[in-house]
Amino acid sequence: MNIDYKLLEKLVNCISPSGSEEIVRELIKEETKAFADEAYVDTLGNLIVHKKGKGKKVMLAAHMDEIGMMVTSIDDKGYIKICSLGWNNPISLAGGRAAFANGTEGVIHWNRSLENHGNLTFEDLFIDIGTTCKEDTERKIDIGDVCILKSDFYENEKFVIGRNFDDRIGCYLLIEMLKQNIKTELDVYYAFTVQEEVGCRGGKIAAFNIAPDVGIAVDVVSTGDYPIEKGYSKDLPVKLGSGPSVRIKDGKIISDKNLNEAIINIAKKNNIKYQVDILLNAGTDAASMQQTGSGAASTCINIPTRYIHSPNEMISKRDIDETLKLLCAFLEEYNN
Ligand SMILES: [Zn+2]
């Protein structure tokens, strides 16, 4: 299938951490408006794009937000203290570049001598935007402003690197599905959700309003195919380049068995390579859909991703293609 890497790059470059999804939402609105039967933004900020059908109500969810940081205080010398939005590894942040939506950038550094970065905490970090006093910083930055850890988008023939494929790749796939004009009887709601990284908040509100029969989150999953000695990725059989992964269980959901079976059968029938994953912790908007209102048969279709929640997440071009194929085939063929 034709993958629009320029659009993916544009999505990745939007500075939209949890609670500040406006920039990426505008881009998605623009990209999808020609393909929607109706579209609206709900009270929490989720963008819902509806393609009407007579069949079962299916909600596809991809979260627009990314992890980031929020300014908590500015000291007399103009240095900025921050807190985390979503789960950030302080080690990834240290020495990196912070970028704010207003164009301001700064160095993220630490305030004590460290023998070993292993015990670095958020408390140790500050941002230096090159100012010399509080007033100077305040001309550019307010308390409550948000920023992200900057990195450059990169692609070669096989893979792509970017800071927030979690979950801009999900957003991209949903946009691309809308553009494909898929023939389906299903009543499909494409939900671009907010505040997933801080506890799957937007997905709950979206699911309550939509009340779907079936819910599929399109998100990312860690892989176990890089050097790692301990941690939850260590024994994960998921590999980059081996196709989309269907979630069996994570910390928040045991996926609907019939739905997973239907997805896997569709993958087999269409010769789409797939994997399955079980995570001991973590969770996605699949849980929001499963456990809101009267509930929905739910699961998560994941794009294998190395180095999740670092400034350089890596995904495979082949997996993007195969995931898009599987999602489109699902809408065409799912009928139970
Ligand atoms: Zn995610």
PDB file of all heavy atoms in Angstrom, residues 63 166-167 196-197 219-220 284 309, ligand 1:
ATOM      1  N   HIS A  63      -4.433   7.529  19.910  1.00  0.00           N
ATOM      2  CA  HIS A  63      -4.317   8.740  20.724  1.00  0.00           C
ATOM      3  C   HIS A  63      -3.404   9.780  20.084  1.00  0.00           C
ATOM      4  O   HIS A  63      -2.356   9.455  19.528  1.00  0.00           O
ATOM      5  CB  HIS A  63      -3.922   8.426  22.172  1.00  0.00           C
ATOM      6  CG  HIS A  63      -2.583   7.806  22.390  1.00  0.00           C
ATOM      7  ND1 HIS A  63      -1.458   8.556  22.611  1.00  0.00           N
ATOM      8  CD2 HIS A  63      -2.194   6.514  22.468  1.00  0.00           C
ATOM      9  CE1 HIS A  63      -0.431   7.737  22.820  1.00  0.00           C
ATOM     10  NE2 HIS A  63      -0.840   6.497  22.724  1.00  0.00           N
ATOM     11  N   ASP A 166       4.410   6.526  19.116  1.00  0.00           N
ATOM     12  CA  ASP A 166       3.390   6.300  20.153  1.00  0.00           C
ATOM     13  C   ASP A 166       2.667   7.629  20.363  1.00  0.00           C
ATOM     14  O   ASP A 166       3.119   8.452  21.146  1.00  0.00           O
ATOM     15  CB  ASP A 166       4.089   5.811  21.437  1.00  0.00           C
ATOM     16  CG  ASP A 166       3.112   5.574  22.564  1.00  0.00           C
ATOM     17  OD1 ASP A 166       1.917   5.610  22.323  1.00  0.00           O
ATOM     18  OD2 ASP A 166       3.571   5.359  23.701  1.00  0.00           O
ATOM     19  N   ASP A 167       1.601   7.969  19.731  1.00  0.00           N
ATOM     20  CA  ASP A 167       0.859   7.081  18.869  1.00  0.00           C
ATOM     21  C   ASP A 167       0.533   7.783  17.557  1.00  0.00           C
ATOM     22  O   ASP A 167      -0.540   7.608  17.001  1.00  0.00           O
ATOM     23  CB  ASP A 167      -0.415   6.626  19.598  1.00  0.00           C
ATOM     24  CG  ASP A 167      -1.181   5.555  18.851  1.00  0.00           C
ATOM     25  OD1 ASP A 167      -0.582   4.841  18.036  1.00  0.00           O
ATOM     26  OD2 ASP A 167      -2.395   5.452  19.042  1.00  0.00           O
ATOM     27  N   GLU A 196      -4.166  10.064  26.570  1.00  0.00           N
ATOM     28  CA  GLU A 196      -3.978   8.621  26.791  1.00  0.00           C
ATOM     29  C   GLU A 196      -2.775   8.371  27.683  1.00  0.00           C
ATOM     30  O   GLU A 196      -2.795   7.514  28.559  1.00  0.00           O
ATOM     31  CB  GLU A 196      -3.802   7.910  25.440  1.00  0.00           C
ATOM     32  CG  GLU A 196      -3.919   6.386  25.533  1.00  0.00           C
ATOM     33  CD  GLU A 196      -2.583   5.677  25.748  1.00  0.00           C
ATOM     34  OE1 GLU A 196      -1.524   6.335  25.810  1.00  0.00           O
ATOM     35  OE2 GLU A 196      -2.596   4.442  25.863  1.00  0.00           O
ATOM     36  N   GLU A 197      -1.732   9.156  27.468  1.00  0.00           N
ATOM     37  CA  GLU A 197      -0.467   8.921  28.185  1.00  0.00           C
ATOM     38  C   GLU A 197      -0.560   9.236  29.679  1.00  0.00           C
ATOM     39  O   GLU A 197       0.333   8.892  30.437  1.00  0.00           O
ATOM     40  CB  GLU A 197       0.666   9.744  27.554  1.00  0.00           C
ATOM     41  CG  GLU A 197       1.030   9.335  26.127  1.00  0.00           C
ATOM     42  CD  GLU A 197       1.683   7.969  26.036  1.00  0.00           C
ATOM     43  OE1 GLU A 197       1.903   7.330  27.071  1.00  0.00           O
ATOM     44  OE2 GLU A 197       1.953   7.537  24.900  1.00  0.00           O
ATOM     45  N   ASP A 219      -2.292   1.143  18.394  1.00  0.00           N
ATOM     46  CA  ASP A 219      -1.242   1.758  19.207  1.00  0.00           C
ATOM     47  C   ASP A 219       0.079   1.021  18.954  1.00  0.00           C
ATOM     48  O   ASP A 219       0.190   0.286  17.977  1.00  0.00           O
ATOM     49  CB  ASP A 219      -1.662   1.707  20.688  1.00  0.00           C
ATOM     50  CG  ASP A 219      -1.141   2.888  21.497  1.00  0.00           C
ATOM     51  OD1 ASP A 219       0.030   3.260  21.320  1.00  0.00           O
ATOM     52  OD2 ASP A 219      -1.893   3.421  22.329  1.00  0.00           O
ATOM     53  N   VAL A 220       1.039   1.224  19.816  1.00  0.00           N
ATOM     54  CA  VAL A 220       2.344   0.593  19.619  1.00  0.00           C
ATOM     55  C   VAL A 220       2.620  -0.428  20.723  1.00  0.00           C
ATOM     56  O   VAL A 220       2.016  -0.361  21.794  1.00  0.00           O
ATOM     57  CB  VAL A 220       3.479   1.642  19.611  1.00  0.00           C
ATOM     58  CG1 VAL A 220       3.309   2.623  18.463  1.00  0.00           C
ATOM     59  CG2 VAL A 220       3.554   2.392  20.946  1.00  0.00           C
ATOM     60  N   THR A 284      -3.928   0.591  27.141  1.00  0.00           N
ATOM     61  CA  THR A 284      -4.229   1.516  26.038  1.00  0.00           C
ATOM     62  C   THR A 284      -5.707   1.909  26.104  1.00  0.00           C
ATOM     63  O   THR A 284      -6.434   1.487  27.003  1.00  0.00           O
ATOM     64  CB  THR A 284      -3.987   0.852  24.670  1.00  0.00           C
ATOM     65  OG1 THR A 284      -5.006  -0.139  24.468  1.00  0.00           O
ATOM     66  CG2 THR A 284      -2.616   0.202  24.575  1.00  0.00           C
ATOM     67  N   HIS A 309       8.801   5.579  24.242  1.00  0.00           N
ATOM     68  CA  HIS A 309       8.959   6.662  25.223  1.00  0.00           C
ATOM     69  C   HIS A 309      10.413   7.137  25.336  1.00  0.00           C
ATOM     70  O   HIS A 309      10.855   7.555  26.396  1.00  0.00           O
ATOM     71  CB  HIS A 309       8.396   6.280  26.605  1.00  0.00           C
ATOM     72  CG  HIS A 309       6.894   6.232  26.614  1.00  0.00           C
ATOM     73  ND1 HIS A 309       6.138   6.400  27.744  1.00  0.00           N
ATOM     74  CD2 HIS A 309       6.006   6.073  25.607  1.00  0.00           C
ATOM     75  CE1 HIS A 309       4.855   6.318  27.433  1.00  0.00           C
ATOM     76  NE2 HIS A 309       4.752   6.110  26.134  1.00  0.00           N
TER      77      HIS A 309
HETATM   78 ZN    ZN B   1       0.341   4.808  23.094  1.00  0.00          ZN
END
